[in-house]
Amino acid sequence: MGKRKSKAKPPPRKRMDKLDTVFSCPFCNHGTGVECRIDMKNLIGEAICSICQESFSTTVTALTEPIDIYSEWIDECERVNSLEDDGA
């Protein structure tokens, strides 16, 4: 008689690494100056530098992560700088 086939165990789940919530400030270049907070109740994301008090606010969705808020801030800074270069 044959042996019963055993079910193969599923592979273990890979853990997702947590993304950073603290970043370097584009204005004062402090390494851990910017902290991103997400207020899902009011759908507002905020990035604030604790050193130079610069801040950036944007609207968020359910899928928004702190890195998204920081990236939008950096993109907005680059956009403003390119407008100043064109106008000068």
Side-chain angles (χ1 to χ4, degrees):
M1 288 185 67
K3 189 175 165 184
R4 284 191 182 178
K5 292 184 178 179
S6 63
K7 288 186 177 181
K9 290 184 179 179
R13 287 188 170 188
K14 292 183 181 177
R15 286 199 172 155
M16 292 293 291
D17 292 335
K18 296 240 179 185
L19 297 174
D20 290 338
T21 59
V22 177
F23 307 97
S24 64
C25 179
F27 294 96
C28 67
N29 291 326
H30 193 269
T32 57
V34 176
E35 181 180 356
C36 294
R37 290 189 225 128
I38 299 175
D39 182 6
M40 289 306 294
K41 185 177 180 183
N42 298 322
L43 297 177
I44 295 174
E46 197 170 29
I48 303 171
C49 179
S50 59
I51 307 301
C52 66
Q53 303 305 314
E54 285 291 329
S55 65
F56 174 77
S57 296
T58 186
T59 57
V60 296
T61 64
L63 300 177
T64 303
E65 295 288 331
I67 186 69
D68 301 323
I69 298 167
Y70 181 72
S71 297
E72 282 186 37
W73 188 17
I74 297 299
D75 293 342
E76 187 67 20
C77 289
E78 290 176 355
R79 187 186 68 79
V80 169
N81 287 338
S82 68
L83 289 176
E84 287 176 1
D85 290 345
D86 293 344

